[in-house]
Amino acid sequence: MAKLPDTNTILLYVEKVSASASFYGDLLGRPPVESSPNFAMFALSSGVMLGLWARHDVQPVPTASAGSGEICITLASIEEVQSLHAEWSGRGIAILQLPTKMDFGYTFVASDPDGHRIRVFVPAAA
């Protein structure tokens, strides 16, 4: 059996590409590397690409709604998680879960304009 290649692109289906591109551009502190009325692409510092695709253009038609998965951001400390939560809250970003300790680590969950979840966490000590 062939080994699955590494993931290099994450696509989110969005209602309004311009609004989502503005949200992620502000969050990432950089403009998209590609942009059209129905698609925008961001290069993340990890090398992974984040694409925003107009839901009405996707083929085959998507069956799942936003919020049925998560983008995860791993930070190095509880203080960094708390700091980012405070910053995002202050910017009016929707927070779905306040900072809390869970079995895998310390975390909070935010939401983008389409309801896609963004989990920020520091892993629990092994």
Side-chain angles (χ1 to χ4, degrees):
M1 178 183 296
K3 180 180 151 188
L4 180 67
D6 286 340
T7 299
N8 59 15
T9 304
I10 297 168
L11 294 175
L12 299 178
Y13 306 143
V14 300
E15 293 302 321
K16 194 171 179 186
V17 171
S18 60
S20 292
S22 177
F23 175 84
Y24 281 100
D26 187 47
L27 206 63
L28 297 167
R30 67 186 79 150
V33 295
E34 180 182 335
S35 184
S36 70
N38 294 325
F39 187 79
M41 179 78 77
F42 290 88
L44 305 179
S45 57
S46 66
V48 172
M49 304 298 280
L50 174 63
L52 308 171
W53 195 356
R55 177 179 284 282
H56 67 271
D57 257 11
V58 177
Q59 292 297 321
V61 174
T63 56
S65 62
S68 59
E70 298 178 344
I71 295 174
C72 294
I73 300 168
T74 305
L75 297 177
S77 71
I78 289 174
E79 294 76 23
E80 286 182 87
V81 172
Q82 292 170 331
S83 177
L84 193 57
H85 170 262
E87 178 188 332
W88 287 8
S89 294
R91 292 165 67 178
I93 294 173
I95 303 297
L96 304 179
Q97 180 185 38
L98 294 173
T100 189
K101 182 180 178 192
M102 297 186 74
D103 60 344
F104 58 84
Y106 189 74
T107 187
F108 78 91
V109 178
S111 174
D112 76 4
D114 287 279
H116 297 289
R117 294 174 173 215
I118 305 167
R119 180 173 299 278
V120 178
F121 74 103
V122 59

